Amino acid sequence: MESIQVPKIFVDMGSYGFAGTWVIQVFVIVFTVLLFNFLVSLLLRRLAKKAQQSMNPWDDAFVHAVQKPLQVMIWVIGVLFAADIVAGKTGAEIFKAIDPVRNVSVILILTWFLIRFVKEFEKAYIRQRSEKGRSVDITTSNALVKLINASIFITAALVMLQTLGFSISGILAFGGIGGIAIGFAAKDLLSNFFGGLMIYLDRPFKVGDWICSPDKEIEGTVEEIGWRQTRICTFSKRPLYVPNSIFTSIIVENPSRMSHRRIYETIGIRYNDLHEMDAIVNEVKQMLTQHDEIDKKQTMIVNFNQFSDSSVDFFVYTFTNTTNWIRFHEVKQDVLLKISAIIEDHHASIAYPTHVLHFDNADDTVSPPKP
């Protein structure tokens, strides 16, 4: 009787599959990961709804930050656990990298979670204060977030290197020696970095402020303060990128922090109306005193000022309650129109440049030339 030859592939399947049950184990692990991931997703959705009902920004930030990293963590742990089972049966060399990959993956996922948590907490904190009508310092908030993120990245990098078997003490020693060379090579970059740090500490301006500099042609609204440069939107709607080191050596004016806006105008009337000057000045001052948009606690001056070439001038010096640019011009327009009406009520006129020629009366007549 002839013997029946069983194909080798079925022998391999028997030895590695059904006899060893590792395929079933891997299948169970993958199914468990899917099921557990689904349950965690449902739980996080319910926690997110409850977190929205509370006034604490911590729980909102935590729930939103942990969703994706936790799901990825479940998959990483499950897949690497299944890889351990396969490695025990096959003994392939590639599976020796499971432990380093697991350690690095956990560090990266924890770093990802912390970065997301800091970002989400900043958003929740700003949103909560804005809903309550409280002021929020965006510049300080951004600075703190950047410092925390930098600390997280540096710590994660050092822990990761230590996990992979590198000596942290040697790396730090090399960094101290190489820092001198890097400092010389990146002098401008470091000066911009410390310039940005000084902006965060001294706070001469913040995001949203209108700034200008008499030393440089810089004027506009601050949109972003980075570690290397500050982005300013000019009034012509063009972005202006200024290195932070510039702000350490120039004068910066911040009109956004003014308490009042000033009206300073010189108005001239005709010389023929000089006798009405005292009455006009007194009535203009009374009008300003009674004006609702003028701050009476600030300096207010209305006085006859000078004899000009074609007019006699008085000046108006006062401050408005508003600092809004559009509202200020509306108030200024109202004040100037009322001053014009006061001048007309006294039958006077605002002067404009004129020249008067005086001719002396002469008895001698000029006779035409004789032919």
Side-chain angles (χ1 to χ4, degrees), residues 82-345:
D84 281 333
I85 297 176
V86 177
K89 298 298 181 180
T90 61
E93 292 292 330
I94 191 173
F95 291 106
K96 293 182 179 180
I98 291 177
D99 290 337
V101 170
R102 180 187 292 111
N103 296 334
V104 171
S105 299
V106 170
I107 295 172
L108 290 176
I109 293 173
L110 289 177
T111 303
W112 183 26
F113 162 70
L114 292 175
I115 296 297
R116 284 174 55 89
F117 176 72
V118 172
K119 184 178 180 180
E120 293 294 336
F121 178 77
E122 181 191 18
K123 290 181 180 179
Y125 177 76
I126 294 175
R127 182 174 62 252
Q128 185 183 46
R129 291 187 66 88
S130 299
E131 291 175 354
K132 293 182 179 180
R134 299 179 181 177
S135 60
V136 181
D137 192 346
I138 304 296
T139 303
T140 302
S141 176
N142 292 338
L144 291 175
V145 169
K146 290 178 180 179
L147 286 174
I148 294 173
N149 288 342
S151 302
I152 293 173
F153 277 120
I154 294 173
T155 304
L158 294 177
V159 173
M160 191 182 303
L161 291 174
Q162 183 70 30
T163 302
L164 295 176
F166 294 94
S167 176
I168 295 180
S169 59
I171 295 174
L172 294 177
F174 173 77
I177 297 173
I180 300 175
I182 295 174
F184 283 107
K187 181 180 64 174
D188 294 337
L189 182 62
L190 291 176
S191 62
N192 290 328
F193 172 79
F194 286 107
L197 183 61
M198 290 300 103
I199 293 175
Y200 286 124
L201 294 178
D202 296 340
R203 300 168 65 183
F205 54 83
K206 59 182 177 63
V207 175
D209 281 358
W210 162 30
I211 64 171
C212 59
S213 173
D215 299 337
K216 302 285 185 178
E217 294 182 359
I218 299 174
E219 185 172 12
T221 304
V222 179
E223 289 189 337
E224 181 185 2
I225 303 175
W227 285 118
R228 194 183 70 84
Q229 63 185 8
T230 297
R231 186 176 76 244
I232 299 173
C233 181
T234 63
F235 294 134
S236 59
K237 298 303 179 182
R238 298 178 181 180
L240 182 66
Y241 300 92
V242 183
N244 291 331
S245 59
I246 297 294
F247 293 108
T248 62
S249 59
I250 65 173
I251 298 174
V252 178
E253 181 182 352
N254 192 340
S256 298
R257 298 181 183 178
M258 67 174 68
S259 59
H260 302 78
R261 287 190 179 272
R262 183 182 66 175
I263 297 177
Y264 183 25
E265 295 291 331
T266 299
I267 303 169
I269 62 176
R270 300 177 305 176
Y271 272 87
N272 293 339
D273 303 324
L274 181 58
H275 61 282
E276 296 290 342
M277 176 64 77
D278 187 59
I280 292 174
V281 166
N282 290 333
E283 191 167 340
V284 169
K285 192 168 186 177
Q286 182 180 3
M287 179 270 295
L288 294 175
T289 304
Q290 297 175 354
H291 202 291
D292 295 335
E293 296 293 338
I294 300 299
D295 191 350
K296 289 78 178 178
K297 298 179 181 179
Q298 303 299 319
T299 304
M300 181 186 297
I301 304 175
V302 183
N303 284 110
F304 176 29
N305 191 22
Q306 64 180 352
F307 294 95
S308 297
D309 293 337
S310 57
S311 65
V312 284
D313 302 335
F314 69 95
F315 75 99
V316 177
Y317 187 96
T318 187
F319 291 87
T320 61
N321 290 320
T322 182
T323 58
N324 182 271
W325 181 245
I326 298 176
R327 180 56 184 162
F328 164 74
H329 282 286
E330 294 175 351
V331 175
K332 183 178 179 180
Q333 172 182 290
D334 182 65
V335 169
L336 293 179
L337 289 176
K338 288 182 177 179
I339 293 175
S340 177
I342 291 172
I343 294 174
E344 291 181 359
D345 290 342

